[in-house]
Structures are given as C-alpha cells and as structure tokens.
Amino acid sequence: MLKEVMAYLMACNLGTVIRNSVGMVMAGHRRPVRFGTPGQADITVELHGDPRAVHVECKAQGGKLSDKQVAWLEDQRRRGNVCIVAFSVQDVYQGLTDAGFKVPMPSLRGAA
C-alpha cells in the first residue's frame, strides 16, 4: 500500500514527496550506523508555498502505532504539521480533505 500512497501523493502535486527510512546498518568493522528518527512517519510531503508538512504513517489492516510513532506524530501535530495514519489510500484522501486540501479522489484501484 505504501507505493500506492506515494503515487497518490505525487499525483496530488502538493509538494515534494519523500520516503523516510529508519533503521541501522553495520558499516566497516561491524560499526552500527543508525539513520532516521525512531517513530518517524513513512512518508513526508514538503508542501509548496506552505511552511507545514504532511506526514503519513502507512499501516497494514489491524496494524498499530508504536509508542515512538505516537510520540513523533503528536510532536509534529503540535508543530502545526498534518499527520495521517493510513490503512488505505482513501484514508490519505480523507485526511488531506479534512485538513483543507483540495485533492483529487483516489482511483478505485489505489483506494484499497
């Protein structure tokens, strides 16, 4: 579903769509290198002409946010950003329209 959400956000043309990654890799002689911020949303949209950002956390049906994800999203909301927890592309559409964005309805193929 993440690919479908990214494609939908790009089609909305609200700004630059970024796929965020959080994790760790072993570099060199088994030295851990961490990247990203724990709890960070899967996708960020840096809006054109707007200081806010849109953050989308994609979850499989029945998926739940971790405590770090809840804290990160709450912090972003306090900063005035739009945060959406999405189980489908339709959830992204609803979150954007609820936040006042005029965006196209997703196609049925990308809505599941």
Side-chain angles (χ1 to χ4, degrees):
M1 188 232 349
L2 190 123
K3 285 183 182 180
E4 289 84 4
V5 169
M6 289 200 56
Y8 174 69
L9 289 169
M10 285 188 253
C12 289
N13 197 32
L14 296 172
T16 304
V17 179
I18 301 165
R19 168 66 168 104
N20 300 313
S21 295
V22 177
M24 180 188 76
V25 295
M26 298 305 281
H29 297 290
R30 299 252 189 236
R31 183 176 59 92
V33 176
R34 298 183 191 285
F35 54 92
T37 302
Q40 184 177 18
D42 293 317
I43 303 168
T44 296
V45 182
E46 294 177 347
L47 299 169
H48 298 304
D50 190 326
R52 299 176 300 162
V54 174
H55 301 290
V56 181
E57 177 61 35
C58 296
K59 289 291 181 192
Q61 291 300 323
K64 295 183 180 180
L65 295 173
S66 70
D67 291 342
K68 288 183 180 184
Q69 288 172 324
V70 169
W72 193 89
L73 291 170
E74 286 176 356
D75 179 60
Q76 291 303 310
R77 282 188 187 102
R78 278 193 301 276
R79 294 170 185 243
N81 294 314
V82 176
C83 297
I84 301 167
V85 177
F87 297 91
S88 68
V89 175
Q90 185 66 34
D91 290 339
V92 177
Y93 168 75
Q94 190 64 54
L96 290 172
T97 56
D98 288 351
F101 294 98
K102 294 187 184 336
V103 293
M105 291 187 70
S107 67
L108 292 176
R109 192 181 62 165

